[in-house]
Amino acid sequence: MEFVTGFDIAIIVLLLLVILVFVAGVKTVSQGYNYTIERFGKYTRTLSPGLNLIVPFIDRIGTKMNMMEQVLDVPSQEVITRDNATVEVDGVTFYQIINAARAAYEVLGLENAILNLTMTNIRTVMGSMDLDQLLSNRDEINAQLLRVVDAAAEPWGIKITRIEIKDINPPRDLVEAMGRQMKAEREKRAAILEAEGKRQSEILKAEGQKQSQILEAEGRREAAFRDAEARERGAEAEAKATQMVSEAIAAGDVQAINYFVANRYVEALEAMAKSPNQKTLMLPIEATSILGALGGIGEIARETFHGEAPVGRRPGGRVPTTRGNED
């Protein structure tokens, strides 16, 4: 049986010390984390994810920092707007540590600092707005809060990635007043639109009447022009007929005189017959006179259009009478 000597014990102790020193000098950092290393209480360096070596019993791990993006709930708080309306507001803040050493040693209580910084700026930004702006410009509020809080938190080695306002809750009586105001505003817009519609209808109606009157006036003007033209042509025809009768009379055609007299005679009878007060028309005139005049008209027409000599022309230009020959 062999006995364990002091040398063997020393070897075993030495092996154990080597193993302990190796274990103490090797550090494994998980993905998404950074470890700060302190030597005699002073920060020296930062360990990144993976296998790292440190000086055992001299270096030690100071702070384990989570480098992933994190979310922080902002509790509900009361905010007084510029128009003295009190609302309850809550939200969330998303942030990420960029520099582990600064986040560990530049601020005490990182999450509490971010939370208080966000709540303070929410009161500042939203308190500078009216209630209507507050309820309708949420995106603008988020952008302004993000810009202000991120600039303030930059010395701490963190990046504020997003700030979102979740709820804005005005008091119940204020909500009811806003509802009544909205209803009155909608009724006002409806009345304005209805009045505007009536106004447009009246304008269109007046425009239509104007166009109708213009077209009617143009029609009357055109009709007057046509009537004048017809009268002018009638006058020209009458003048031409008178000229032809005058020439026939000058040539010794007695039938022309009969035509002229018969034409006036028929016109006079027509005027008498059309008189509104005329009930009875008495003709103390021989019918043969009218027939003779009409015969003269026929003779002139034949002479004019066929070149024939008029029937019944007597030499010497004597004018026949419609009565019998006197003794």
Side-chain angles (χ1 to χ4, degrees), residues 10 25 82 84 145 168 205 287:
R82 187 171 58 186
N84 296 324
L145 283 173
I168 301 176
K205 184 178 179 180

Side-chain angles (χ1 to χ4, degrees), residues 68-93:
M68 295 179 286
E69 186 175 6
Q70 303 175 66
V71 60
L72 186 64
D73 285 326
V74 179
S76 178
Q77 60 177 330
E78 289 187 350
V79 176
I80 300 176
T81 62
R82 187 171 58 186
D83 52 354
N84 296 324
T86 303
V87 295
E88 290 187 359
V89 180
D90 60 356
V92 290
T93 301

Side-chain angles (χ1 to χ4, degrees), residues 57-166:
F57 308 112
I58 297 177
D59 295 340
R60 71 179 187 88
I61 297 175
T63 308
K64 298 179 180 181
M65 304 301 299
N66 186 347
M67 306 299 291
M68 295 179 286
E69 186 175 6
Q70 303 175 66
V71 60
L72 186 64
D73 285 326
V74 179
S76 178
Q77 60 177 330
E78 289 187 350
V79 176
I80 300 176
T81 62
R82 187 171 58 186
D83 52 354
N84 296 324
T86 303
V87 295
E88 290 187 359
V89 180
D90 60 356
V92 290
T93 301
F94 296 83
Y95 71 95
Q96 185 176 13
I97 297 176
I98 305 301
N99 190 313
R102 292 167 64 184
Y105 301 109
E106 294 293 335
V107 61
L108 180 63
L110 178 62
E111 289 190 356
N112 187 53
I114 296 174
L115 182 62
N116 283 277
L117 181 63
T118 304
M119 293 177 66
T120 301
N121 282 279
I122 286 177
R123 288 194 296 269
T124 301
V125 171
M126 300 181 72
S128 63
M129 297 181 176
D130 294 332
L131 181 60
D132 292 338
Q133 287 182 284
L134 207 65
L135 298 176
S136 59
N137 298 327
R138 186 171 298 190
D139 291 338
E140 181 182 346
I141 295 172
N142 294 338
Q144 190 172 350
L145 283 173
L146 177 62
R147 184 172 59 254
V148 173
V149 176
D150 183 50
E154 192 271 336
W156 300 340
I158 63 175
K159 172 68 176 176
I160 305 297
T161 58
R162 199 176 348 167
I163 296 179
E164 296 287 343
I165 299 298
K166 291 194 298 184

